[in-house]
Amino acid sequence: MPPKKVGSKLLNWASHIEDNTLAQARETASMPFVHPHVALMPDAHSGMGSAVGTVIPTLGAVIPAAVGVDIGCGMIGVRTGFTKSDLGDRNLADLRAAIERAIPVSMGNYNRGFDVWDFTASKLAELEGLAEANGVDLSHSPKWREQLGSLGSGNHFLELCLDTTDSVWLFLHSGSRGVGNKIAKKHIAIAQRLCKQWWIDLPNKDLAYIPEGVPEFGRYIEDLKWAQRFAYLNRAEMMDRFAVVFAQWMGVDDHHELERINCHHNYTVKEKHGNKDVWLTRKGAVDAHEGVKAMIPGSMGTRSYVVVGKGSAAGLCSAPHGAGRRFSRTEARRRYTVEDLRKRMVGIEFRDGEEFVDEIPDAYKDIDIVMADAVDLVDIEHELRQILNVKGT
């Protein structure tokens, strides 16, 4: 749908949106260094400081809390050479168990060593070299290496999916784990301290920013780039493991990878918009420059999409990152039971239990409405439906 102008520097693509989300977006758009405008994505919902689903172009400054505490969170998907018929009558519960053995899931669960998989060492070496070259201090996270290749919790997931041609996809959602969280909180605190020190009146403390030209800005950008690379490689590491256990479950030597898409949806990058170079923060949004592929998940019991960007200038070459929450976790647990979850997940192999009720599909917005609202931002290339889902607690 075409956007609605809801402020002097705010365009909204969401046909269903809460008042508090719009209020947050207006606060963000009021910041003096926003250029040319803030774009509110179809899946927007309230978040910390800025609404999730907000695309924020800024001149000469970055807002660390707008990037969020899961720096570089995003999706990765692999289209394999297999189809539904190749799966036969194999037991999906066996594959789920194998995935959970290969990839640590849930908060605080890390790897016990680095030598299990022969593809891990090169990723760790790259991250170590990047930290050393750019002076990234990781002393706050002595176990960051053990976190590489771990899923986390909340709405992070691994899935086995089929597209409309019944091709098999491996699909997962995760970010920069505990190390990214600590980097984010460190710089959010620095931004708040600086704004307080300079007597800057903010509409919200989580809109505290770090301006270019101070040492803290350069330090933040280097740490941010490292965390974004960690998130990218974390997804790649998990996907490499997923591919191995999938092939083993299939009884073959190779998963026959035909295509791989790895994209962030919580990050900041330098781009040109409104004829100026800006720091573009996508807080719950994917890159949708013309021809760029991305992945937009629904909930654990609905469809997800592989999309191709249309390069919408008004949309700041961005698109939604998922269905977006309809109810908070607390409200979802109040409204729904584990029996409700089981009914919604019929036909899908998943981790059952009370601890997953807050991720019930009903707690999320209708992905079909989100995608309809995004028609001017992306084209849909593949529609995916999951047959297996793994979430952390």
Side-chain angles (χ1 to χ4, degrees):
M1 73 172 209
K4 293 181 180 178
K5 191 171 184 180
V6 289
S8 61
K9 286 191 173 184
L10 179 60
L11 297 181
N12 172 39
W13 271 261
S15 60
H16 291 69
I17 192 164
E18 297 76 24
D19 290 343
N20 61 340
T21 304
L22 277 175
Q24 279 194 313
R26 287 191 175 101
E27 283 186 346
T28 303
S30 74
M31 299 302 284
F33 42 73
V34 165
H35 173 85
H37 59 263
V38 166
L40 203 54
M41 295 289 102
D43 57 335
H45 59 93
S46 60
M48 185 177 74
S50 301
V52 178
T54 308
V55 185
I56 311 163
T58 53
L59 293 168
V62 175
I63 305 169
V67 183
V69 295
D70 194 359
I71 297 170
C73 186
M75 314 299 306
I76 185 171
V78 163
R79 180 165 60 94
T80 76
F82 293 100
T83 64
K84 180 181 178 182
S85 62
D86 295 320
L87 303 182
D89 58 359
R90 291 177 178 83
N91 190 338
L92 285 169
D94 291 341
L95 176 58
R96 181 169 67 81
I99 292 169
E100 291 172 28
R101 287 192 298 270
I103 298 170
V105 301
S106 300
M107 187 178 297
N109 284 350
Y110 304 151
N111 297 283
R112 295 181 179 178
F114 315 122
D115 56 355
V116 176
W117 311 90
D118 58 11
F119 42 69
T120 306
S122 61
K123 299 184 186 78
L124 288 173
E126 178 183 340
L127 290 165
E128 288 167 348
L130 189 62
E132 183 176 355
N134 296 309
V136 176
D137 179 11
L138 297 171
S139 60
H140 50 66
S141 300
K143 291 190 175 182
W144 71 264
R145 295 171 184 83
E146 287 90 338
Q147 294 172 23
L148 186 77
S150 63
L151 182 69
S153 58
N155 61 358
H156 293 167
F157 64 77
L158 299 113
E159 288 184 341
L160 187 72
C161 300
L162 303 173
D163 66 19
T164 52
T165 68
D166 277 345
S167 291
V168 175
W169 286 73
L170 314 180
F171 189 37
L172 69 86
H173 171 209
S174 193
S176 55
R177 305 294 287 109
V179 63
N181 182 284
K182 288 190 176 181
I183 287 171
K185 288 182 176 178
K186 170 184 174 180
H187 291 285
I188 290 170
I190 289 171
Q192 291 176 348
R193 174 179 58 79
L194 290 176
C195 286
K196 185 177 181 180
Q197 174 184 317
W198 296 329
W199 299 92
I200 294 172
D201 187 22
L202 297 167
N204 184 308
K205 70 174 184 178
D206 286 319
L207 290 175
Y209 58 91
I210 305 176
E212 288 182 357
V214 300
E216 291 87 349
F217 183 86
R219 180 70 278 131
Y220 176 55
I221 294 301
E222 293 302 334
D223 288 2
L224 181 71
K225 288 178 180 177
W226 187 92
Q228 289 174 180
R229 188 59 181 167
F230 179 95
Y232 184 95
L233 292 176
N234 185 45
R235 289 192 294 274
E237 175 71 15
M238 284 187 284
M239 183 55 72
D240 291 344
R241 297 183 193 183
F242 191 177
V244 170
V245 298
F246 171 73
Q248 290 172 345
W249 179 73
M250 289 290 294
V252 296
D253 295 329
D254 186 1
H255 65 290
H256 300 295
E257 183 170 319
L258 302 180
E259 180 179 13
R260 180 176 290 217
I261 302 164
N262 192 345
C263 62
H264 295 320
H265 56 223
N266 280 358
Y267 69 114
T268 293
V269 67
K270 202 72 174 284
E271 290 185 3
K272 178 164 280 188
H273 294 279
N275 295 317
K276 292 187 178 181
D277 290 329
V278 300
W279 291 102
L280 191 75
T281 296
R282 293 186 173 100
K283 180 176 183 174
V286 296
D287 183 353
H289 278 83
E290 185 174 2
V292 172
K293 290 189 178 184
M295 307 199 74
I296 302 176
S299 63
M300 66 190 287
T302 60
R303 290 169 298 284
S304 298
Y305 295 90
V306 179
V307 298
V308 181
K310 289 186 173 182
S312 166
L316 303 173
C317 296
S318 302
H321 81 312
R325 289 198 74 92
R326 180 176 167 222
F327 300 124
S328 69
R329 296 189 182 280
T330 300
E331 181 63 15
R333 286 191 291 270
R334 189 186 71 80
R335 286 173 175 259
Y336 304 109
T337 67
V338 70
E339 287 303 322
D340 294 325
L341 176 62
R342 288 167 184 160
K343 289 176 184 176
R344 293 291 277 111
M345 296 298 287
V346 170
I348 301 170
E349 174 64 33
F350 75 108
R351 299 184 79 196
D352 193 2
E354 294 278 354
E355 61 268 41
F356 301 105
V357 169
D358 57 12
E359 280 294 302
I360 190 170
D362 306 76
Y364 285 83
K365 295 183 179 182
D366 188 330
I367 189 64
D368 292 331
I369 293 175
V370 170
M371 297 310 297
D373 288 349
V375 67
D376 293 334
L377 306 176
V378 290
D379 285 320
I380 296 172
E381 187 169 84
H382 298 287
E383 179 183 303
L384 309 181
R385 65 189 189 281
Q386 64 274 84
I387 56 175
L388 177 152
N389 172 279
V390 175
K391 280 186 179 285
T393 55

